[in-house]
Amino acid sequence: MATPTAEMLREQVRGDLFTPDDAGYEEARTVYNAMIDRHPRVVVRCANVDDVVAAVGFAREHELDLAVRGGSHSVPGFGTCDGGVVIDLSRMRGVTVDPASRTARAEGGATWGDFNNATYEHGLATTGGIISTTGVGGLTLGGGIGYLARGFGLSCDNLVSAEVVTADGRRLTASEDENDDLFWALRGGGGNFGVVTSLEFKVHPVKEIYGGPMFFEVDDAADVLRFYRDFIVDAPEQFGGFPAWQIAPPLPFIPEERHGDTFLAFVACWAGPLEEGESALKPLRDVAPVVAEMVGPMPYPALNSAFDALVPPGLQHYWKANFVKELSDAAIDAHLEHGPDVPAVNSTVHIYPINGACHRVGTDETAFAYRDATFATVIAGMWPEPAHNDANIAWVRGYYEATAPHSEEGGYINFMADDDQGRIEANYKGNYGRLVDIKRKYDPDNLFHVNQNIRP
Ligand SMILES: Cc1cc2nc3c(=O)[nH]c(=O)nc-3n(C[C@H](O)[C@H](O)[C@H](O)COP(=O)(O)OP(=O)(O)OC[C@H]3O[C@@H](n4cnc5c(N)ncnc54)[C@H](O)[C@@H]3O)c2cc1C
């Protein structure tokens, strides 16, 4: 029997509601990281903003934990909770594009695949994640790093406005002109301030890109990493991409006898004129022989879904992250010591560039504070077997401990594990105090606390 209170909520919502007694509950409670096994009291798969308001009110009035789920990719499993309410936005995925004003609006549960496919039709794109199944909402609210960041800034830098349901059930617009403090906080502050039911972005002329993955031998990794460090400082801003430790999956473009070997891959994305792509990537190609590659012109959404199969739902995840100002020789040595030991084909380490347009936004212009970092590093442990948890977590931690002394104190909140909650102030540096003030104004009772939490 469902609890009477959940039944009261059921009467209020147009979307689907799942309690432990409902068929579909097991699927509804499941999140992307299979390590997370929580049992909410009720999952509300909202059909519209009214449903969101009802679910927020229900959690507030009954003093229940409240988790908000967009794309479900949170590694610490912030899209679910034990015994509380889950607002699942996965039915609210519409994207509309206005080519005349070069803007696009996504509902709060849209994924980057939804977004990129819609804007591609108009030859437009904005900075988004490198995997198509990641949520637009969660990624943008934390900052948003992707191939186009050097040219157009972080995803949050392209946010024009957002519709937000706040803890008291109000529906607010946040933009430079309305509730500008909330708008400031949403651009990096994560899910701390309310449920964002739609996000409006600037979009830019990008349709086909030139790029893809190139695989270098581990013996050449030092040269590639040193080249990357120097090159990316003033490379043309249409050049995006990142180095990645990668065990070769059994793909046709990789010689069969090398499947299962470890490489330093470089995933490149040239978003300038296509005919300049080959020469734009030439300096990288000249560093060392390329063992295997799948580089060429392709639709931007194709690159953004090229690696989806490596990260299906249902893997175990444990990640750690840091911002980096300068990739010193000592830092590169630490990468060279731990990278080649990457234990699973799904696992990787990415060193994303966040300079260029990201640096033209002032440190205090948005909540995202590390405008002086050149790189955001993520050590992403991902593997299928729970039996291998200890070994994989140990690899992530060992790698992190070796690189942390060469990194900033803070890291990107969207790449962090649950055990990094203690780093929250460092992640926001001088912006933390203002975030606390804004949290006190919009969510004084910390209803939205299932996240990298900014305490009021
Ligand atoms: C395979 C994979 C690839 C990734 N690639 C990238 C990448 O290229 N670039 C990058 O920057 N990050 C990347 N990330 C990290 C990603 O940004 C975070 O995991 C992010 O939290 C995912 O958002 P989501 O909506 O999918 O997740 P969810 O688990 O649904 O939500 C995560 C958090 O965001 C909040 N949230 C989500 N939607 C809303 C909303 N509409 N309103 C209010 N709060 C909301 C939730 O409450 C929760 O705290 C990747 C993660 C994975 C697992």
Side-chain angles (χ1 to χ4, degrees):
M1 279 286 285
T3 61
T5 47
E7 288 312 311
M8 281 156 50
L9 182 59
R10 201 190 296 273
E11 281 164 24
Q12 288 179 52
V13 298
R14 288 260 315 276
D16 313 302
L17 188 141
F18 303 91
T19 68
D21 298 324
D22 290 307
Y25 174 78
E26 280 304 310
E27 191 246 318
R29 77 176 184 89
T30 302
V31 290
Y32 178 79
N33 179 359
M35 217 184 262
I36 309 293
D37 181 25
R38 298 191 186 130
H39 292 81
R41 175 185 296 225
V42 56
V43 178
V44 187
R45 197 167 288 153
C46 298
N48 53 36
V49 180
D50 287 340
D51 287 0
V52 174
V53 173
V56 166
F58 179 77
R60 185 187 60 240
E61 282 154 26
H62 297 281
E63 298 182 353
L64 296 168
D65 280 343
L66 175 61
V68 180
R69 189 189 307 161
S72 183
H73 271 199
S74 163
V75 168
F78 291 144
T80 187
C81 59
D82 271 325
V85 178
V86 172
I87 292 180
D88 175 354
L89 298 171
S90 63
R91 273 184 65 173
M92 297 171 62
R93 291 171 57 166
V95 179
T96 50
V97 186
D98 180 359
S101 65
R102 287 209 178 147
T103 57
R105 183 178 284 281
E107 284 188 287
T111 63
W112 284 104
D114 300 326
F115 189 90
N116 293 333
N117 290 333
T119 59
Y120 176 77
E121 295 299 318
H122 302 275
L124 298 165
T126 202
T127 306
I130 64 149
I131 298 292
S132 79
T133 50
T134 307
V136 171
L139 181 138
T140 303
L141 296 174
I145 297 169
Y147 295 112
L148 304 181
R150 296 187 69 245
F152 303 124
L154 302 172
S155 306
C156 73
D157 299 336
N158 290 284
L159 195 66
V160 177
S161 71
E163 300 296 320
V164 189
V165 174
T166 49
D168 55 8
R170 282 182 300 160
R171 300 160 190 225
L172 300 181
T173 300
S175 69
E176 291 290 1
D177 303 322
E178 280 179 81
N179 302 300
D180 59 332
D181 52 355
L182 180 59
F183 185 54
W184 179 89
L186 291 178
R187 288 174 291 163
N192 274 282
F193 302 94
V195 185
V196 178
T197 52
S198 83
L199 305 95
E200 183 193 6
F201 292 92
K202 280 183 272 187
V203 285
H204 313 271
V206 174
K207 192 161 195 207
E208 317 292 315
I209 58 87
Y210 185 92
M214 301 157 92
F215 282 57
F216 296 93
E217 297 286 6
V218 166
D219 285 348
D220 293 323
D223 291 340
V224 175
L225 289 174
R226 287 197 192 106
F227 163 81
Y228 168 64
R229 165 191 65 193
D230 300 334
F231 173 76
I232 208 66
V233 172
D234 51 16
E237 290 185 0
Q238 297 101 322
F239 185 99
F242 52 89
W245 295 108
Q246 184 65 54
I247 293 177
L251 291 173
F253 76 90
I254 302 168
E256 212 176 317
E257 67 277 12
R258 302 304 304 270
H259 292 173
D261 289 355
T262 300
F263 292 91
L264 183 78
F266 195 101
V267 187
C269 173
W270 171 256
L274 272 191
E275 62 279 9
E276 293 174 17
E278 212 174 304
S279 57
L281 268 59
K282 187 166 183 306
L284 174 64
R285 196 181 284 287
D286 286 347
V287 177
V290 176
V291 181
E293 65 176 286
M294 203 184 70
V295 172
M298 63 178 91
Y300 174 70
L303 184 61
N304 274 90
S305 49
F307 308 108
D308 289 4
L310 276 176
V311 288
L315 297 175
Q316 315 286 309
H317 288 254
Y318 182 75
W319 297 20
K320 290 198 92 70
N322 269 119
F323 290 118
V324 175
K325 281 190 186 161
E326 279 172 24
L327 205 53
S328 64
D329 284 344
I332 289 177
D333 287 346
H335 284 284
L336 294 170
E337 189 187 338
H338 293 269
D341 295 337
V342 56
V345 69
N346 318 91
S347 290
T348 187
V349 175
H350 293 172
I351 310 173
Y352 292 103
I354 50 167
N355 59 351
C358 308
H359 281 190
R360 287 196 290 278
V361 178
T363 302
D364 58 359
E365 277 184 62
T366 66
F368 186 96
Y370 273 89
R371 298 294 179 170
D372 52 353
T374 307
F375 306 101
T377 304
V378 60
I379 306 159
M382 304 183 264
W383 62 98
E385 290 296 333
H388 301 158
N389 286 6
D390 288 350
N392 282 275
I393 291 171
W395 173 74
V396 174
R397 289 196 172 137
Y399 200 133
Y400 175 75
E401 276 156 27
T403 47
H406 312 289
S407 310
E408 298 304 297
E409 209 185 325
Y412 176 40
I413 61 153
N414 275 350
F415 288 159
M416 288 190 165
D418 213 9
D419 55 14
D420 275 322
Q421 292 262 357
R423 295 170 70 195
I424 190 82
E425 286 197 50
N427 299 336
Y428 291 108
K429 292 198 290 187
N431 287 344
Y432 190 70
R434 186 167 174 205
L435 278 165
V436 172
D437 290 344
I438 298 171
K439 178 79 173 173
R440 284 184 187 142
K441 177 172 168 190
Y442 289 97
D443 185 17
D445 298 323
N446 207 6
L447 181 65
F448 298 104
H449 64 269
V450 183
N451 43 43
Q452 297 287 355
N453 196 227
I454 295 160
R455 291 204 176 83

